[in-house]
Structures are given as C-alpha cells and as structure tokens.
Amino acid sequence: MNTVVRANHLNKRFGATRAMDDLSFTVEKGSITGLIGPNGAGKTTTLKAILGLTSFEGELDVLGMDPRKGRHHLMERVCFIADVGVLPRWMKVREALDFVEGVHPRFNRHKAETMLAATTIDKKLKVAQLSKGMVTQLHLALILAIEVELLVLDEPTLGLDIL
C-alpha cells in the first residue's frame, strides 16, 4: 500500500490548549481511517492541517505534498466535507447536481444519481424542503461522487438517522 498521509510530531496550540500534541500517524491508500475522541480533542484541527487550512508545527505529507505549500495543487486531488453541510436552500436537488457537474471536472454524475436513487430524495425539491438528514444525504452523494485520491470527511453522518 502507498501512504496517502504521513504525520510526524504534529503540534498545534490555541492559547494554553493543545489541539494536537506530538501527533503522529499514517493513512494508507485504500484505507478508511477514523479520528475518535471527545469534543475539543483536536479532530477537526487535525483535518484542517491535512487540508492546509491551519498552521501547525511538525511534518505533514499529504499525497507527496506539504499542505502548507501549493494548497491549490493538493485540493485538485482531495475532496472535503465539513461537519456542517452548506447547500443553498433555494437550489433544487437536480440543480445541485448540475452545479457540481459544471464546476468539478472529477464529478461522476452517474455515481451521484445512483447514490441518490437509494434515498427518498426527490430531485425536483429545493434544499429548503429537505429534512436535515436528507440534506446530509445529498451533500454526501455530491462529495462521494467526486473521484479524488483522498476524501476527508468531518462528522459526515451528522444529522443522519441511525437506521
């Protein structure tokens, strides 16, 4: 397996709070890795470091790149979904599919529509008409249908029913 993420001795402080304290780990290609811990443990900060969205001390290699340098090149190969899915409430589901298809060259519309077919989401509805869980399902379908080398999900099931 190839290493996709290699973190060595990551540290990040917010005042007196240590969000990352000598954190080291690797993520191998084809694996699913979860960060588990209580609120405030530094999970989101770690994801932001991987994405080049926050400063940190230590060494971090993501797909052979330092996320602090040339972030735009990294983001061509990485897709991210935040813990709060933000989709325009006025947009219809089919318009969201059209939009992502128009802006992201690696979006696989067939894959997204296949995922949505497994839900009860009507493509004619506006995002405002969907339940919180349906918005999460839509957001996941849009993100998971973008074919990249690294997918970073921050609490991707937030709002989904356990079933």
Side-chain angles (χ1 to χ4, degrees):
M1 284 194 150
N2 298 341
T3 301
V4 177
V5 177
R6 178 177 284 114
N8 289 311
H9 308 290
L10 299 184
N11 290 284
K12 173 75 175 182
R13 285 179 173 253
F14 294 101
T17 303
R18 289 182 168 265
M20 294 187 297
D21 187 10
D22 198 33
L23 180 62
S24 296
F25 63 93
T26 59
V27 177
E28 300 298 325
K29 183 177 180 178
S31 67
I32 297 173
T33 303
L35 300 177
I36 300 172
N39 292 339
K43 302 178 297 292
T44 297
T45 300
T46 302
L47 297 180
K48 285 181 176 181
I50 290 169
L51 297 165
L53 296 173
T54 192
S55 61
F56 58 88
E57 295 174 0
E59 298 175 20
L60 185 56
D61 180 283
V62 181
L63 299 171
M65 295 177 257
D66 182 335
R68 295 171 284 201
K69 302 173 186 169
R71 183 175 176 274
H72 62 283
H73 291 299
L74 178 64
M75 294 313 292
E76 291 173 356
R77 301 170 58 194
V78 175
C79 198
F80 170 64
I81 184 171
D83 59 346
V84 178
V86 179
L87 293 169
R89 296 181 49 79
W90 54 263
M91 187 178 276
K92 291 182 179 178
V93 172
R94 67 175 155 67
E95 292 170 335
L97 290 162
D98 293 342
F99 176 77
V100 177
E101 184 176 37
V103 298
H104 207 296
R106 295 186 181 189
F107 181 68
N108 181 332
R109 186 176 186 128
H110 175 72
K111 187 175 182 180
E113 290 195 1
T114 299
M115 285 186 262
L116 287 175
T119 72
T120 59
I121 297 173
D122 183 339
K123 288 190 275 184
K124 292 178 277 185
L125 293 177
K126 290 184 178 184
V127 171
Q129 296 172 289
L130 302 177
S131 70
K132 182 178 180 180
M134 288 175 159
V135 172
T136 300
Q137 289 174 335
L138 172 58
H139 208 187
L140 279 170
L142 293 170
I143 297 302
L144 292 174
I146 297 173
E147 297 172 342
V148 291
E149 297 169 66
L150 177 63
L151 187 59
V152 179
L153 310 172
D154 191 357
E155 298 193 43
T157 59
L158 197 64
L160 291 181
D161 290 334
I162 192 76
L163 296 177

